[in-house]
Amino acid sequence: MQNYIFYFSGTGNSLYVAKKVANALGNTSYKMIHIDSFDKNMEIEADILGFVFPVYAFGLPKLAVKFLEQLKIKKANYVFGAFTYGGNAGNIHGQFSNILIQKNISVDLIDGFT
């Protein structure tokens, strides 16, 4: 199976992290989420599935929340979230985890990208 990283980036920091992680993993494609990403029939099957988002107002960007809530994860052996921020992560870890826990998906959280 292939690996996927979905990211949202306003300034390029999350894109930078997504590229670095994709290159380190190998066999990984990365894709920016945007309003056209919301295909309600989109199902993901991956060995490794990652999400890279910036912290906006101490949480996830609204676009990222909408994407995560609508995404159907058919199968993923390992799921992670990585977050970029300058000073304070706020509640992004809890917010991200809670969305995926509702889908019965356990996640690892990667921190420290500033």
Side-chain angles (χ1 to χ4, degrees):
M1 264 187 291
Q2 186 166 351
N3 304 323
Y4 295 96
I5 296 175
F6 291 97
Y7 72 94
F8 174 74
S9 191
T11 62
N13 294 335
S14 293
L15 168 60
Y16 175 80
V17 171
K19 282 183 179 180
K20 291 293 249 183
V21 173
N23 288 335
L25 290 173
N27 190 33
T28 303
S29 64
Y30 53 94
K31 180 176 179 163
M32 182 168 176
I33 63 166
H34 46 80
I35 200 67
D36 296 331
S37 300
F38 299 108
D39 177 358
K40 292 186 180 186
N41 297 319
M42 181 183 199
E43 288 186 354
I44 293 296
E45 215 173 311
D47 188 34
I48 298 173
L49 177 60
F51 301 92
V52 182
F53 300 126
V55 174
Y56 278 17
F58 304 108
L60 290 167
K62 289 181 182 181
L63 188 67
V65 171
K66 185 175 179 182
F67 179 79
L68 288 169
E69 288 175 344
Q70 292 184 358
L71 183 66
K72 294 179 182 102
I73 302 171
K74 189 173 181 180
K75 180 182 179 185
N77 296 325
Y78 178 76
V79 179
F80 72 88
F83 312 106
T84 60
Y85 57 91
N88 189 325
N91 188 37
I92 198 165
H93 299 106
Q95 187 182 18
F96 178 80
S97 296
N98 287 338
I99 292 169
L100 293 178
I101 286 169
Q102 291 176 9
K103 297 174 180 281
N104 294 318
I105 304 291
S106 62
V107 298
D108 276 341
L109 304 172
I110 301 169
D111 212 2
F113 298 107
T114 57

